[in-house]
Amino acid sequence: MAINLEDMLSFGVFLAICILAGSAGAIFKPDSWYCSIKKPRWCPPDWLFPLAWSCLYLTIAMAGWLVWRVAGFSGAEIAFTVYGLHMILNFAWSPIFFGLRRIDWAFFEIIIFWLTLVATIFLFYGIKPAAAYLLMPYLVWATFAGALNFAVWQLNKGNLSKPFRTT
């Protein structure tokens, strides 16, 4: 399949969706509150998160675009509905964790986030296996992020009664 102007524009749409989802992480980001809470020793440095997410958003956009090229939106309605729901959940995590400072709610949100990602991979695989494979590093990262969220929640349970407290 040759890539034409329509393909490039449609990839731009998928990339814009991912940038929009990622914008929550740019607005709601680590601050003095996050620096003050306990984190496990295996928590990556803050600089790694935007780098990892930038790479992942590119693969997420590519995966959606590949499915669109094969099936279009009408041929993959369920897959794109789940993909869209997942991107909404992707956007929502940062405001919950960093904005509301609800580590517990963020953990439960990331469980649903993870499940919609698995469903997206499954649905994409049936349409374009390469798209599903592109999402596998994202699944690994999301699994790690869920474990990290859980660990941070467990280490800071005593601070949950005042989620909006600043230091």
Side-chain angles (χ1 to χ4, degrees):
M1 267 189 200
I3 296 176
N4 57 37
L5 181 60
E6 181 184 6
D7 288 334
M8 289 188 295
L9 290 174
S10 61
F11 178 73
V13 169
F14 282 99
L15 193 55
I17 290 166
C18 290
I19 290 169
L20 180 61
S23 69
I27 297 166
F28 300 95
K29 54 189 171 198
D31 58 9
S32 60
W33 167 79
Y34 179 73
C35 291
S36 72
I37 63 174
K38 297 174 188 169
K39 293 174 269 314
R41 289 182 308 176
W42 47 273
C43 182
D46 291 345
W47 62 264
L48 181 62
F49 289 93
L51 179 63
W53 278 109
S54 295
C55 294
L56 292 170
Y57 283 130
L58 189 58
T59 62
I60 297 164
M62 181 67 73
W65 178 72
L66 286 174
V67 169
W68 174 82
R69 284 187 80 200
V70 170
F73 291 115
S74 62
E77 284 183 39
I78 295 171
F80 281 123
T81 299
V82 175
Y83 178 87
L85 174 61
H86 176 75
M87 295 311 291
I88 291 167
L89 292 166
N90 181 299
F91 177 89
W93 186 88
S94 289
I96 295 168
F97 189 95
F98 294 113
L100 296 175
R101 299 177 177 163
R102 290 306 308 243
I103 305 166
D104 52 348
W105 295 355
F107 175 69
F108 292 112
E109 192 272 357
I110 210 167
I111 291 171
I112 300 166
F113 167 105
W114 190 90
L115 291 170
T116 60
L117 176 54
V118 170
T120 299
I121 291 169
F122 177 78
L123 293 165
F124 278 16
Y125 186 83
I127 299 166
K128 180 75 174 175
Y133 295 137
L134 277 170
L135 295 176
M136 296 312 285
Y138 182 32
L139 180 62
V140 171
W141 182 260
T143 302
F144 174 78
L148 180 59
N149 190 152
F150 182 77
V152 171
W153 174 29
Q154 296 308 299
L155 290 169
N156 294 280
K157 275 190 167 181
N159 294 334
L160 293 178
S161 62
K162 297 180 183 175
F164 300 102
R165 180 177 64 84
T166 59
T167 53

